[in-house]
Amino acid sequence: MKSILSITLISLLLFSCAGVQVSSDYDSRASFPQYKTFAFLKEGIDKAEISDLDKKRILRSIEAEMIKKGYTLSENPDIFINFFTRERERQDLYQSVGIGWGWGPVWGNSVQVSPAVTEGVLLIDIIDGKKKDLIWQGKGAGILSERANKDEQIHKFVSEILKQYPPEEKRTTEKN
């Protein structure tokens, strides 16, 4: 019983410390340095199947990160920003094999199940305002904790994703 409790506590600690796994992709033909203003794509955001409070948290975080990067919120934007969310329950199985001695070697095998956790995925799309083409997409996935402060948790997801925008190659080209 103690070993199951230990594994449960260890996996909870690992999950709570786990960061956001981030990836991104972009259109290599897009001229990122030309984009200076942004707005949100309301029609797309309205379709996100999350609470209105969480939508507001995501919007505020994206806006803060974009302004930090030097972009300006505009009614006639160079780029539109949209986002999508997904979540799923996840449980991991751990198998262990043990050897013991008594009247001879004894082999043991046990399977343990981690507590169920919710994995959340946030996708942020950036769309060229004139061409209406997707030019960049960032994805962040991580464990959602019920005990964590939602504002902080959502801001962490957004900031980790937007660290990759604009693409690194385009940032170095812009400076030259």
Side-chain angles (χ1 to χ4, degrees), residues 25-45:
D25 194 10
Y26 65 95
D27 180 349
S28 60
R29 294 183 182 180
S31 178
F32 289 93
Q34 77 177 352
Y35 304 121
K36 306 286 184 220
T37 60
F38 74 98
F40 294 102
L41 192 62
K42 184 177 174 4
E43 306 84 48
I45 292 167

Side-chain angles (χ1 to χ4, degrees), residues 84-134:
F84 304 92
T85 60
R86 284 194 312 254
E87 66 178 49
R88 68 183 176 114
E89 292 295 313
R90 184 174 117 190
Q91 277 190 307
D92 294 323
L93 299 176
Y94 302 96
Q95 184 172 1
S96 59
V97 177
I99 302 173
W101 295 94
W103 294 101
V106 178
W107 294 89
N109 188 11
S110 67
V111 175
Q112 294 156 350
V113 180
S114 72
V117 294
T118 303
E119 181 179 58
V121 176
L122 174 62
L123 292 122
I124 299 175
D125 289 347
I126 297 187
I127 301 154
D128 182 288
K130 290 182 180 77
K131 298 177 187 173
K132 306 296 187 241
D133 286 338
L134 179 66

Side-chain angles (χ1 to χ4, degrees), residues 55-98:
K55 283 180 190 177
K56 286 180 186 178
R57 288 178 177 109
I58 293 170
L59 289 169
R60 281 192 297 253
S61 291
I62 292 173
E63 183 176 338
E65 290 299 313
M66 293 300 285
I67 288 171
K68 230 192 285 186
K69 290 177 176 289
Y71 292 85
T72 305
L73 192 59
S74 171
E75 297 213 8
N76 188 19
D78 299 325
I79 56 174
F80 286 101
I81 300 175
N82 192 21
F83 67 83
F84 304 92
T85 60
R86 284 194 312 254
E87 66 178 49
R88 68 183 176 114
E89 292 295 313
R90 184 174 117 190
Q91 277 190 307
D92 294 323
L93 299 176
Y94 302 96
Q95 184 172 1
S96 59
V97 177

Side-chain angles (χ1 to χ4, degrees), residues 2-16 115:
K2 280 187 178 180
S3 65
I4 292 174
L5 185 58
S6 304
I7 290 172
T8 302
L9 288 174
I10 290 169
S11 39
L12 280 174
L13 283 173
L14 289 174
F15 287 133
S16 65

